[in-house]
Amino acid sequence: MKRLIVMGIMAGIGTLASAAQLSRADSGAIALRGPIAEGDVDKLRLLATPGTTLLRVNSEGGDALAAMQLGRYLRRQQWDIAIDTVCAGSCALYVFPAARHKRIPADAVLALQESAFLRAQASPAQMRRTLAEAGVAAEDIGSETAALAARLADTAAQEAAFAAELEIAPAFYRDFPQVTAQAESVRRRFPDQEAAVYWWPAAARLRRCYGIAGVDEGPRAVRLAPDGYLYVPALSALVMGDQALQDCP
């Protein structure tokens, strides 16, 4: 169990204990609530009918590989996606960009975090420190570090294959460090110095820089502060815009 917890920490999984809840929202839509986990795509298939064309989501992330499976299913079926409240982590990285049309209503947020590619760049020292902080016994650190590195590398490779299949530019999974660097100065303005950093790329950037089209982002521009961020106290989240990023080629 401890090893699963550590894998989850490094993979950006908020919880490993439960899967998403999927239910029929109406005749044409299915609602997904909670963390994405293995087997969720099978639940989605069972609920889908010939008239289903929309997935409504409220998810703070989950398992990367399970989210890629969901994304592939949406792409094959040509479904749309609508964010009810939040689509973060693996939901934002893999499920959202795979849909045909993508809607972010006025009160919803798209929130990206580190991709599998970036997590796989962690040094052995960083991995050992994470394992030690998670309580892994000293005598197991060496073997568990090797296992963790292999798991991260495999997930990163599958992410690259996913991006190529969906024709998503690799930069979509690599630009986040520039956002986090900008976030450090912004975070000092708030009492919650441990606020998690997220990235909400604009629809225009998603289309021009990463090949992710069909995004209706609602009033995103007016919701961000003048210098480009949104602080969400309820989630202890600092959601950054694109101000730290150069324009794409």
Side-chain angles (χ1 to χ4, degrees):
M1 183 63 181
K2 186 177 293 181
R3 179 178 176 182
L4 289 175
I5 292 172
V6 173
M7 294 296 187
I9 291 170
M10 293 299 290
I13 299 170
T15 178
L16 295 170
S18 60
Q21 297 178 352
L22 289 105
S23 60
R24 180 157 290 284
D26 55 48
S27 60
I30 291 172
L32 182 152
R33 301 286 181 271
I36 300 165
E38 184 178 355
D40 285 346
V41 71
D42 296 323
K43 298 176 187 176
L44 190 64
R45 288 192 186 100
L46 290 174
L47 287 170
T49 65
T52 305
T53 59
L54 175 67
L55 181 67
R56 305 191 65 90
V57 298
N58 181 14
S59 175
E60 295 181 22
D63 180 75
L65 299 183
M68 290 180 211
Q69 289 181 325
L70 276 177
R72 286 188 170 99
Y73 183 83
L74 295 191
R75 177 57 61 95
R76 286 196 301 269
Q77 301 301 318
Q78 288 294 288
W79 283 19
D80 301 335
I81 192 170
I83 304 175
D84 282 345
T85 304
V86 63
C87 176
S90 294
C91 176
L93 288 166
Y94 311 117
V95 183
F96 181 86
R100 181 180 54 174
H101 299 301
K102 312 154 185 71
R103 298 202 299 273
I104 311 174
D107 295 330
V109 175
L110 177 68
L112 282 73
Q113 283 188 302
E114 280 189 325
S115 64
F117 169 83
L118 293 172
R119 293 183 188 279
Q121 306 308 304
S123 68
Q126 290 173 309
M127 294 184 197
R128 287 194 294 270
R129 185 164 54 251
T130 299
L131 290 163
E133 290 173 353
V136 173
E139 61 270 22
D140 296 328
I141 290 288
S143 61
E144 291 298 323
T145 298
L148 179 56
R151 168 71 180 274
L152 293 173
D154 178 69
T155 305
Q158 295 199 48
E159 178 184 87
F162 177 84
E165 182 180 334
L166 272 63
E167 298 183 328
I168 298 172
F172 179 65
Y173 295 112
R174 302 182 182 188
D175 280 349
F176 187 70
Q178 300 173 58
V179 175
T180 57
Q182 176 76 18
E184 289 308 309
S185 61
V186 176
R187 185 152 50 183
R188 297 192 194 102
R189 307 175 192 177
F190 302 98
D192 184 3
Q193 297 295 308
E194 300 302 319
V197 176
Y198 295 87
W199 170 35
W200 185 354
R205 184 175 186 87
L206 288 169
R207 183 184 67 254
R208 291 197 317 268
C209 301
Y210 311 125
I212 300 170
V215 179
D216 177 3
E217 64 185 6
R220 171 187 178 277
V222 298
R223 292 182 64 198
L224 296 177
D227 47 354
Y229 67 87
L230 173 67
Y231 183 62
V232 186
L235 298 176
S236 185
L238 179 60
V239 183
M240 303 294 295
D242 300 325
Q243 68 274 19
L245 299 169
Q246 296 180 347
D247 198 9
C248 52

